[in-house]
Amino acid sequence: MADVLKRVPVREQDAKVRATNFEEVCLGYNMEEAVAEAERCLKCKNPQCQKGCPVNIDIPGFIKEVQEKNIAGAYEVISKYSALPAVCGRVCPQESQCEAKCIRGIKAEPVSIGKLERFVADWARENNIQPKVEAESKGKKVAVIGSGPAGLTCAGDLAKMGYDVTIFEALHEAGGVLVYGIPEFRLPKGTVVKSEIENVKALGVKIETNVIIGKSTTIDQLMDEEGFDAVFIGSGAGLPKFMGIPGENANGVFSANEFLTRNNLMKAFDESYDTPIFRGKKVAVVGGGNVAMDAARTALRLGATTYIVYRRSEEELPARVEEVHHAKEEGIIFKLLTNPTEILVDENGWVKGMTCVEMELGEPDASGRRRPVVKEGSEFELDVDTVIMSLGTSPNPLITSTTKGLECNRHKCIVADEANGQTSRAGVFAGGDAVTGAATVILAMGAGRAAAKGIDEYLSNK
């Protein structure tokens, strides 16, 4: 009899092998493994897992279908709540959300809800099963700005309600952060992301690429001249932050956004593509979030000795535990309690090293984490030729600066009601990173769902 206290292990590529390729690290469950893991579910009468999900998926409902090997039924359950289950099953931080509230997890390991969601979504894709839409047309048009997780979710939900939805995407390919930000080895683009986007389009959603709102057209024009009854802004947060230390303008210094975009969207890692990027031999990634892990693991795969430089300890690392574990397995070197003070530059303007200081943790700051302070006399030089800054991002101010009556805060984020996405301008809604600053895919999806309901209520009462 299987040990119900422990999760069914998930197969992965060997660390030494995967560190040299861009193939997906996690191989997922097969049918037998998925059913065995689903059978660990306690079928709680008051399921706490569902309360931990930002999009409120009926988790016990879809797991019950997996137990009965009715995977098509499981996909139908999930599709009522999520437009991107194959994405969420891979990149959503379930360990701090649904799985954190799993009752099984109190005295044992929680059910692998994320891996089961991924299995169901992958099975549906491999068997050409798409979500159903049966709503009658409302005869009203909604514009969605941005085709990332917030935009795709909002658009999909609105289409299911019967609205005529058009997504406007600034880049040449739809998907937002799913295609430019998350590496192929965590989230395959050609299969997983493309398939999820096609499912949204199958609901009737139209996607127009290469349209920059604020340049190609404006929100005012969409509403006043092109007949859109409402607009949802899900444009994300793509403006990178830097430290402001000497040497940051040197050749060989990247933002994580640029480094990942050029590798993920423009395939710089593939030598057959005419979009190369400078490949350093010794790379320092400054930061400790998921984006920092993605950048570091990408640099490693490009052949570099790679460091994570983070000013706090491992306990304070904001990245998912799974991503930190994978990075360590692959050979990333962690320089914790370390902070850069200067990037050293040679006579030709290229990075030749980085001066750092060691840190100690002092009293807690406003976030509740202990504030790092410099350890006296601890300065040292790190031998690197490339530095990637992964310190967070903020929204591009282009949309707010070209839209009448749209309020934003001091962080340049759009001010919107958390419950329904309503902004300071009637008929204009917003959600995801454009409102919160850089956060997770699933939180952006939750905001997209909330805004879709808000738009429906607004247009129904208009």
Side-chain angles (χ1 to χ4, degrees):
M1 181 178 175
D3 185 353
V4 295
L5 300 181
K6 292 187 177 182
R7 292 175 163 182
V8 175
V10 182
R11 291 165 289 115
E12 296 177 345
Q13 272 199 79
D14 179 80
K16 290 182 180 179
V17 175
R18 70 181 190 242
T20 64
N21 66 54
F22 280 81
E23 301 299 317
E24 190 167 15
V25 169
C26 181
L27 304 178
Y29 285 144
N30 58 28
M31 178 70 79
E32 181 182 359
E33 292 164 339
V35 171
E37 182 61 24
E39 287 176 345
R40 296 183 61 240
C41 178
L42 294 171
K43 305 178 183 67
C44 304
K45 292 182 179 179
N46 182 20
Q48 298 301 303
C49 56
Q50 190 167 351
K51 297 176 182 178
C53 175
V55 294
N56 201 37
I57 290 173
D58 178 7
I59 294 169
F62 96 77
I63 289 180
K64 178 178 179 293
E65 299 299 337
V66 175
Q67 291 171 344
E68 297 174 2
K69 297 186 180 181
N70 180 15
I71 313 305
Y75 183 67
E76 188 173 340
V77 171
I78 295 174
S79 295
K80 293 176 182 177
Y81 305 86
S82 174
L84 307 170
V87 169
C88 287
R90 287 167 165 83
V91 304
C92 179
Q94 292 95 2
E95 68 278 2
S96 61
Q97 294 176 159
C98 56
E99 292 176 10
K101 293 184 178 295
C102 174
I103 301 301
R104 169 67 79 184
I106 295 175
K107 294 185 178 180
E109 292 181 351
V111 175
S112 292
I113 298 167
K115 296 298 188 289
L116 289 175
E117 181 181 21
R118 169 190 164 151
F119 167 75
V120 170
D122 286 355
W123 185 93
R125 181 183 68 252
E126 291 159 5
N127 288 275
N128 298 313
I129 295 176
Q130 292 184 326
K132 300 172 183 177
V133 59
E134 299 172 354
E136 292 184 14
S137 173
K138 294 276 180 73
K140 293 182 179 179
K141 291 170 59 178
V142 180
V144 171
I145 300 170
S147 62
L152 289 169
T153 299
C154 184
D157 280 10
L158 288 169
K160 291 174 185 176
M161 296 174 191
Y163 290 99
D164 180 357
V165 185
T166 303
I167 295 177
F168 296 97
E169 167 57 47
L171 297 176
H172 64 278
E173 191 172 328
V177 70
L178 305 176
V179 295
Y180 73 72
I182 303 175
E184 191 80 12
F185 54 81
R186 277 220 294 141
L187 185 62
K189 314 301 173 219
T191 51
V192 175
V193 177
K194 185 176 180 180
S195 173
E196 305 267 70
I197 292 171
E198 288 301 316
N199 284 345
V200 173
K201 290 167 69 175
L203 297 172
V205 174
K206 298 178 284 293
I207 301 179
E208 294 189 21
T209 56
N210 298 308
V211 179
I212 302 174
I213 302 300
K215 292 268 188 185
S216 310
T217 187
T218 65
I219 288 176
D220 296 333
Q221 289 172 315
L222 289 174
M223 299 185 78
D224 299 339
E225 300 173 17
E226 298 190 37
F228 284 96
D229 299 287
V231 175
F232 172 73
I233 304 170
S235 50
L239 194 63
K241 297 176 183 177
F242 288 85
M243 293 186 70
I245 60 175
E248 272 188 325
N249 292 326
N251 296 321
V253 178
F254 299 90
S255 69
N257 260 33
E258 178 189 359
F259 183 75
L260 289 170
T261 297
R262 289 176 66 176
N263 275 285
N264 299 333
L265 182 65
M266 302 169 71
K267 303 292 189 289
F269 69 85
D270 189 333
E271 293 182 359
S272 67
Y273 278 73
D274 190 24
T275 51
I277 192 169
F278 173 66
R279 299 188 179 202
K281 300 291 186 186
K282 296 179 180 179
V283 176
V285 178
V286 182
N290 289 325
V291 175
M293 298 303 147
D294 287 344
R297 296 172 69 196
T298 297
L300 180 83
R301 284 161 169 76
L302 294 176
T305 298
T306 307
Y307 302 91
I308 286 283
V309 179
Y310 181 62
R311 64 185 186 144
R312 288 184 164 95
S313 70
E314 183 164 353
E315 287 183 7
E316 287 82 26
L317 277 170
R320 293 183 67 189
V321 172
E322 182 179 63
E323 300 309 316
V324 175
H325 171 68
H326 283 158
K328 285 182 175 181
E329 278 190 329
E330 291 164 7
I332 304 294
I333 303 165
F334 282 72
K335 304 289 285 186
L336 302 174
L337 289 168
T338 302
N339 205 38
T341 56
E342 181 180 0
I343 296 170
L344 306 175
V345 186
D346 68 17
E347 64 276 9
N348 296 314
W350 288 87
V351 174
K352 68 171 184 179
M354 187 166 71
T355 302
C356 302
V357 289
E358 294 179 12
M359 310 295 286
E360 298 175 312
L361 293 180
E363 295 300 313
D365 60 15
S367 70
R369 295 184 298 174
R370 293 171 65 193
R371 185 187 302 276
V373 293
V374 177
K375 186 188 293 185
E376 288 188 22
S378 63
E379 187 173 280
F380 69 97
E381 186 176 316
L382 190 62
D383 180 20
V384 294
D385 58 14
T386 305
V387 177
I388 300 171
M389 293 293 182
S390 181
L391 306 169
T393 54
S394 59
N396 189 313
L398 182 61
I399 289 177
T400 53
S401 65
T402 58
T403 306
K404 295 174 186 175
L406 195 59
E407 182 185 351
C408 59
N409 62 25
R410 63 187 180 88
H411 300 294
K412 300 179 181 177
C413 295
I414 297 168
V415 176
D417 189 314
E418 185 178 344
N420 62 14
Q422 176 67 62
T423 69
S424 55
R425 174 163 175 180
V428 178
F429 297 74
D433 291 3
V435 171
T436 62
T440 62
V441 167
I442 191 66
L443 289 176
M445 290 177 62
R449 287 207 81 195
K453 291 180 181 177
I455 290 170
D456 181 48
E457 290 173 4
Y458 168 77
L459 293 178
S460 297
N461 296 326
K462 188 178 177 181

